[in-house]
Amino acid sequence: MLQWLQKFEKKRTLPVQPEQVNKDLLASLMIMAWFVEAKDPYTGGHLWRVSRYANLLCRAGGLPEADIARITLGGFLHDLGKVAIPDSILNKRGKLDENEFAIIKTHPEAGGRLLAGHPLRHIVAAAVELHHERPDGGGYPYGLNASMIPIDAAIIGICDAFDAMTSLRSYRSPMPVEKALNIMREECGKQFNQFWCEQFLALAEQNLLNDIMGHSDNGIPLHTCPLCGPTVLQQRDNKPGDLLACSVCYSEMELCTEHGYLTVKPTGNKASAAQLQPKADNLLIKQLIEESIGHIPLEQVIQFSSHKNQ
């Protein structure tokens, strides 16, 4: 006991670097966002995909590294406010009624309230609160027009919409990619910022989105439950033989390799309570933070929050 106390006291008195404190604060936000996503068994990997699409789009548009880092992180955190939305609405299989849609539309402001008082709030506030604003003024929650929407929100709004259209949802199957792109072409300059939408469409035409679509992490494909259909998430440290679980039908799944690809197969058992508990993918979150700010001090990202419109 004495040795443990001495070890604890030694750890407690070690100097803490401001950069590490900020990274830890950022990681705490990202873990919270990951658990919000875990509430919805149909949108697994959405935060990672939006973040990666945003990173690609920032680079295509020639933004400085500090802006790229900030917007990449904002892409992962943009749906933070969905923690305030009831599961019965998030996971509804049919079309939302007017009142339910009104509740869904509160999530950007709810995210802003969650961020209130957080030391790193201003890094991601635009991404969280404004990603559903539209250049034509028809967005929410504030009905901003094109000149009032920050770059962060314009970019993440495009990436969020594309992933929503092309991924599995409780109320529909994924939309064909070309159909989604046609919708984006039609809405260019109306729902979507024209410059950034054109850049995104160019990335699609070059097939540069393919390694992100249908994945929940680099090289990790999305799995769906063969018994009832929702997403079964594989984390970065999972390997063939590990047991996963479907959070809808509670079936136990084994991660297998088939024809050179990873897939999941039901074991015939019900998942245990421990298997059904959501577990943050800390390795993914750590790498995303390190990749985003690996060559830039986080303080520079904080100071470089210019939010200029293209």
Side-chain angles (χ1 to χ4, degrees):
M1 183 66 166
L2 181 60
Q3 287 179 332
W4 183 88
L5 285 172
Q6 289 171 337
K7 183 178 179 181
F8 176 76
E9 287 296 328
K10 185 177 179 180
K11 281 186 177 180
R12 193 168 62 174
T13 56
L14 287 174
V16 179
Q17 299 300 320
E19 176 82 0
Q20 187 57 50
V21 170
N22 283 331
K23 285 183 179 180
D24 290 346
L25 285 168
L26 194 55
S28 71
L29 278 177
M30 296 175 79
I31 288 169
M32 189 191 310
W34 192 95
F35 275 105
V36 173
E37 181 178 78
K39 289 177 61 176
D40 187 345
Y42 290 87
T43 59
H46 173 67
L47 301 183
W48 176 82
R49 290 190 298 277
V50 171
S51 179
R52 298 322 298 168
Y53 288 139
N55 185 279
L56 272 181
L57 188 50
C58 287
R59 295 189 183 282
L63 289 184
E65 287 293 330
D67 276 344
I68 294 171
R70 185 187 70 247
I71 295 169
T72 300
L73 296 169
F76 196 89
L77 290 162
H78 75 281
D79 271 344
L80 193 61
K82 284 190 174 177
V83 70
I85 307 299
D87 291 355
S88 59
I89 295 177
L90 278 180
N91 301 329
K92 184 175 178 179
R93 287 185 173 270
K95 185 178 179 181
L96 297 178
D97 63 31
E98 187 175 337
N99 183 59
E100 289 167 335
F101 187 55
I103 292 171
I104 282 283
K105 288 168 68 176
T106 65
H107 79 269
E109 291 177 286
R113 290 194 298 273
L114 279 172
L115 287 172
H118 194 282
L120 303 184
R121 175 190 179 278
H122 56 291
I123 297 182
V124 296
V128 171
E129 296 183 55
L130 305 177
H131 64 279
H132 282 291
E133 297 291 349
R134 298 169 46 126
D136 62 7
Y140 62 89
Y142 306 116
L144 305 182
N145 61 36
S147 64
M148 303 164 69
I149 301 172
I151 290 175
D152 306 50
I155 288 174
I156 291 163
I158 290 167
C159 300
D160 180 43
F162 177 76
D163 190 66
M165 288 187 283
T166 57
S167 59
L168 178 68
R169 295 292 160 122
S170 59
Y171 50 88
R172 60 156 173 78
S173 299
M175 187 181 295
V177 174
E178 195 53 42
K179 181 178 179 181
L181 294 175
N182 282 335
I183 291 172
M184 296 183 75
R185 291 184 186 103
E186 292 170 4
E187 293 296 321
C188 193
K190 293 179 285 187
Q191 180 177 349
F192 307 119
N193 175 287
Q194 184 155 349
F195 173 83
W196 292 108
C197 186
E198 289 173 353
Q199 294 294 318
F200 191 88
L201 290 169
L203 289 171
E205 288 164 6
Q206 299 169 63
N207 297 318
L208 295 177
L209 308 178
N210 295 351
D211 290 340
I212 301 173
M213 278 189 289
H215 290 73
S216 59
D217 194 354
N218 288 320
I220 299 180
L222 282 173
H223 308 293
T224 55
C225 175
L227 301 177
C228 70
T231 301
V232 177
L233 270 183
Q234 173 193 344
Q235 296 197 351
R236 182 165 290 195
D237 58 351
N238 288 139
K239 56 188 182 299
D242 284 353
L243 297 176
L244 309 178
C246 172
S247 60
V248 174
C249 69
Y250 308 142
S251 295
E252 183 183 74
M253 305 280 160
E254 182 179 358
L255 187 62
C256 306
T257 303
E258 191 172 85
H259 308 300
Y261 296 97
L262 286 168
T263 186
V264 291
K265 289 187 176 181
T267 64
N269 300 321
K270 285 293 183 183
S272 67
Q275 289 170 332
L276 288 166
Q277 293 303 305
K279 174 188 171 187
D281 195 334
N282 292 313
L283 290 177
L284 183 155
I285 289 168
K286 180 180 179 182
Q287 183 167 344
L288 183 59
I289 291 173
E290 294 297 337
E291 284 180 354
S292 299
I293 60 175
H295 305 293
I296 309 169
L298 187 52
E299 285 73 15
Q300 184 180 338
V301 178
I302 294 169
Q303 294 165 8
F304 206 77
S305 297
S306 58
H307 301 303
K308 294 179 182 177
N309 283 302
Q310 179 71 38

